[in-house]
Amino acid sequence: MPEENQALSPGLRMPEQVATRLERLILDGVFRPGQLLPSERRLCDRLGVSRASLREGLRILRSKGIIDTRQGHGSTVATLLPVGNQSPLMHLFKDHPRTLFDLLEVRALLEGESARLAASRGTSADRVLITRRYREMADYAESAESIDVERLARLDHAFHLAVSQASHNPVLVHTLQSLTDLLLSSVFASVKHLYHLPAPRTMINQQHAQLHEAVVNGEAEQAEQVALEHLSSISQLLRDLEEEHERLERSSMRLEEWQ
Amino acid sequence: MPEENQALSPGLRMPEQVATRLERLILDGVFRPGQLLPSERRLCDRLGVSRASLREGLRILRSKGIIDTRQGHGSTVATLLPVGNQSPLMHLFKDHPRTLFDLLEVRALLEGESARLAASRGTSADRVLITRRYREMADYAESAESIDVERLARLDHAFHLAVSQASHNPVLVHTLQSLTDLLLSSVFASVKHLYHLPAPRTMINQQHAQLHEAVVNGEAEQAEQVALEHLSSISQLLRDLEEEHERLERSSMRLEEWQ
DNA sequence: GACTAATTACTGGTCAGACCAATGCACCAC
DNA sequence: GTGGTGCATTGGTCTGACCAGTAATTAGTC
């Protein structure tokens, strides 16, 4: 009878067990996408297996595309998403900017649900992380005089990611993630522009504060509502931005006609 | 300069090399499907690598489904070569059924929204198409005595697709589509099974009828509600199916104890 | 002689410890 | 500051040993 190694496995070999247990930890959010796993030697201790078995377990995860390993560096949890290849959608964007708002519509739906679930299902550890991300973002947004917009965008993204991860629904997290990536890769310039204008920024800051409060206080309905309003505001801001852009274009066209 | 080990590998690690070389030998017909490979120790000699590396190489081939290994026996070349490529998320599904319900949760959200939008935004042309798809599905489901389950599943899928397309949100359609593909490719057997049981089938038929009616009559709230209930039912049915499956497994295990 | 049970020589599975190679960070000289 | 230099840490590989199933062989029994 094995005295160690809380084996849960009848027919499973060690490497399979290692892979399964690590997957479980990843799904539970203990190890998150992008995060660096503990070193192999440390994992051996924690899981109670030899390095050979552990390495075969990691090999399984690597084959599945779940982790990514670099010599001298370590193994990181892959930012696995592909809900599907994103290429087909990318074309749509270029030809039909309207699709941007369709994307925001879907994203609002998912963001609302994730906020609701985060408020109702989130653990205390989740709340701690969410608060930390929120503070990082809010402190930077308030304190700095000349903010680095790109950095603020990253902090913003990290905050929303923390909220979605608290939903404990990996599929939701990944879908949301891929949509956000798609959004940023296509209109990052516009989004960046939003942060530069004072009015939108204070509005966004307020909504973030409300969202944070609702989630950590477990107010599910409130959290969903705030998230929906947040995305709706962003959508409206981008719409205004686009309109203004068109107006500028028209005037420049008029200018060209006379030259 | 390595004197042995006819390395052909720039950046490749040993295990990858081992896997590649063995694949090559299999493709060249040196090792044929069904055949027993030489023992690990013998392969180590022949390939000039340690057993640890050799085993990691075999692990790669096993992950790809190219070989099959049994303790005390050996590794045999699999008879049927790799099936369909599976997305990274697929692996998570197989080992963690919990993720399946996470997927259904997200899908219900999107399906609900698409039904709502279809009812409120759908054009008359959309409604005609939806009705046609619905009739095709319903007629086949009711009339035929011995139904071809796979065909019914296709008609079902076509109906839902028509509804989602009436939402006039390509992003929503696309996201929903990829989630559905993911679902079907992982649990198509179970879904198929649902159609075979009489009770679930009548329930599904009823819900389809209600969904169709709500959408074509422009009753947005009702459509969303029905869609949510529909997905919720399916989720519950799959849950029951899984439970029953486990019960059967347990009883067969008990059976084995007495033999 | 035919059948069963123990033996034994394989097989893969796991472990421990050693060393090599790449990375990245801290420290130090300039 | 800037650019090296070292060193601690990480993954990559090897070795040799032992454990655990498998199956063929052998010994024992009827």
Side-chain angles (χ1 to χ4, degrees):
Chain A
M1 190 185 297
E3 80 292 2
E4 248 290 4
N5 210 350
Q6 51 275 50
L8 10 70
S9 51
L12 285 190
R13 305 268 93 106
M14 288 308 313
E16 279 83 1
Q17 279 188 56
V18 169
T20 302
R21 290 169 68 181
L22 287 177
E23 275 176 356
R24 172 108 213 159
L25 290 172
I26 292 173
L27 283 177
D28 287 347
V30 178
F31 300 133
R32 310 193 165 205
Q35 185 179 340
L36 198 64
L37 290 182
S39 74
E40 295 187 350
R41 289 157 176 92
R42 199 175 302 274
L43 281 176
C44 291
D45 285 348
R46 291 268 251 110
L47 300 179
V49 299
S50 75
R51 219 178 133 211
S53 295
L54 178 95
R55 280 182 58 79
E56 287 199 38
L58 293 179
R59 173 72 64 182
I60 294 174
L61 296 181
R62 221 171 306 153
S63 297
K64 293 184 183 180
I66 293 177
I67 64 171
D68 183 43
T69 304
R70 268 164 36 202
Q71 180 176 177
H73 180 74
S75 293
T76 57
V77 179
T79 51
L80 40 88
L81 15 116
V83 160
N85 266 344
Q86 304 173 346
S87 38
L89 271 184
M90 284 300 282
H91 296 299
L92 284 179
F93 274 118
K94 297 187 110 174
D95 304 338
H96 305 279
R98 209 211 92 195
T99 317
L100 168 63
F101 300 102
D102 291 336
L103 170 57
L104 281 168
E105 193 173 71
V106 176
R107 214 193 127 194
L109 188 69
L110 296 175
E111 199 87 53
E113 178 74 358
S114 88
R116 203 175 63 76
L117 291 177
S120 58
R121 292 182 186 168
T123 68
S124 61
D126 290 327
R127 286 191 286 274
V128 168
L129 183 63
I130 289 173
T131 299
R132 184 183 307 162
R133 294 281 173 268
Y134 172 69
R135 283 257 57 88
E136 288 172 356
M137 175 184 64
D139 288 349
Y140 186 73
E142 290 167 6
S143 70
E145 312 77 28
S146 66
I147 55 171
D148 172 8
V149 173
E150 210 152 315
R151 180 174 174 192
L152 183 54
R154 261 201 306 281
L155 293 174
D156 184 337
H157 187 235
F159 169 61
H160 282 282
L161 181 62
V163 172
S164 74
Q165 284 177 331
S167 75
H168 290 275
N169 181 332
V171 177
L172 181 57
V173 174
H174 298 149
T175 307
L176 200 40
Q177 187 76 27
S178 61
L179 289 182
T180 302
D181 287 349
L182 205 57
L183 176 77
L184 288 181
S185 63
S186 63
V187 291
F188 186 66
S190 299
V191 172
K192 239 167 50 175
H193 200 205
L194 283 187
Y195 289 110
H196 275 131
L197 304 173
R201 243 179 71 191
T202 56
M203 174 184 276
I204 290 179
N205 287 343
Q206 276 182 9
Q207 290 174 338
H208 280 162
Q210 289 175 16
L211 176 59
H212 167 252
E213 192 185 341
V215 169
V216 297
N217 288 342
E219 299 162 358
E221 302 304 325
Q222 176 69 8
E224 179 177 12
Q225 206 53 43
V226 172
L228 289 177
E229 281 171 17
H230 179 49
L231 268 292
S232 162
S233 300
I234 290 181
S235 179
Q236 190 55 51
L237 288 171
L238 287 177
R239 226 179 280 265
D240 295 346
L241 219 62
E242 188 180 80
E243 205 169 283
E244 187 180 347
H245 186 257
E246 274 177 10
R247 202 165 34 240
L248 287 176
E249 248 183 8
R250 270 200 302 277
S251 64
S252 73
M253 276 175 64
R254 246 177 276 131
L255 203 67
E256 283 169 7
E257 287 176 0
W258 286 323
Q259 283 180 341
Chain B
M1 191 184 297
E3 80 291 2
E4 249 290 4
N5 210 351
Q6 53 274 53
L8 12 68
S9 52
L12 285 190
R13 307 266 93 106
M14 288 308 315
E16 279 83 0
Q17 280 187 54
V18 169
T20 302
R21 292 169 67 181
L22 287 177
E23 273 176 355
R24 170 111 211 154
L25 289 172
I26 291 172
L27 287 177
D28 287 347
V30 179
F31 301 131
R32 301 176 176 251
Q35 185 180 340
L36 198 63
L37 290 182
S39 74
E40 295 186 351
R41 285 152 177 100
R42 198 175 302 274
L43 281 176
C44 291
D45 286 349
R46 292 270 251 108
L47 300 179
V49 299
S50 74
R51 217 176 135 212
S53 294
L54 187 272
R55 281 181 58 78
E56 286 199 38
L58 292 179
R59 174 71 64 183
I60 295 175
L61 297 181
R62 219 170 308 153
S63 296
K64 292 188 185 176
I66 294 178
I67 65 170
D68 183 46
T69 304
R70 269 164 39 205
Q71 180 176 179
H73 180 73
S75 294
T76 57
V77 180
T79 48
L80 47 118
L81 290 181
V83 215
N85 261 346
Q86 301 179 339
S87 85
L89 272 183
M90 281 290 297
H91 296 291
L92 288 179
F93 278 118
K94 294 187 95 169
D95 304 337
H96 303 275
R98 198 199 91 195
T99 318
L100 168 62
F101 299 103
D102 290 337
L103 169 57
L104 281 169
E105 192 173 73
V106 177
R107 215 194 127 192
L109 188 71
L110 296 175
E111 199 87 53
E113 179 74 357
S114 89
R116 203 176 63 76
L117 291 177
S120 60
R121 291 182 186 168
T123 66
S124 62
D126 290 328
R127 285 191 287 274
V128 168
L129 183 62
I130 290 174
T131 299
R132 183 185 306 163
R133 293 280 173 268
Y134 171 69
R135 283 258 55 91
E136 287 172 357
M137 175 183 64
D139 288 349
Y140 186 73
E142 289 167 8
S143 71
E145 313 77 29
S146 65
I147 55 171
D148 173 9
V149 172
E150 212 151 313
R151 181 176 172 189
L152 182 54
R154 261 201 307 280
L155 294 174
D156 184 337
H157 188 234
F159 169 61
H160 281 281
L161 181 62
V163 172
S164 72
Q165 284 176 332
S167 74
H168 291 276
N169 181 331
V171 178
L172 182 56
V173 175
H174 178 266
T175 307
L176 201 40
Q177 189 74 27
S178 16
L179 289 181
T180 302
D181 287 349
L182 206 56
L183 176 77
L184 287 182
S185 59
S186 64
V187 291
F188 186 65
S190 298
V191 172
K192 241 170 46 176
H193 200 205
L194 284 187
Y195 288 112
H196 275 132
L197 305 173
R201 242 179 71 190
T202 57
M203 173 183 277
I204 290 178
N205 286 343
Q206 276 182 10
Q207 290 174 338
H208 279 161
Q210 289 174 15
L211 176 61
H212 168 252
E213 191 183 342
V215 169
V216 298
N217 289 342
E219 301 161 357
E221 303 303 325
Q222 175 70 7
E224 178 177 12
Q225 205 53 44
V226 172
L228 290 177
E229 281 170 18
H230 181 48
L231 268 293
S232 163
S233 301
I234 290 181
S235 178
Q236 190 55 50
L237 289 172
L238 286 178
R239 227 180 279 268
D240 296 344
L241 220 61
E242 187 180 83
E243 205 169 283
E244 187 180 349
H245 186 257
E246 273 176 12
R247 201 164 36 238
L248 288 177
E249 252 181 7
R250 271 200 299 278
S251 64
S252 74
M253 278 174 64
R254 248 177 274 132
L255 201 67
E256 285 169 6
E257 290 176 0
W258 286 323
Q259 286 179 339

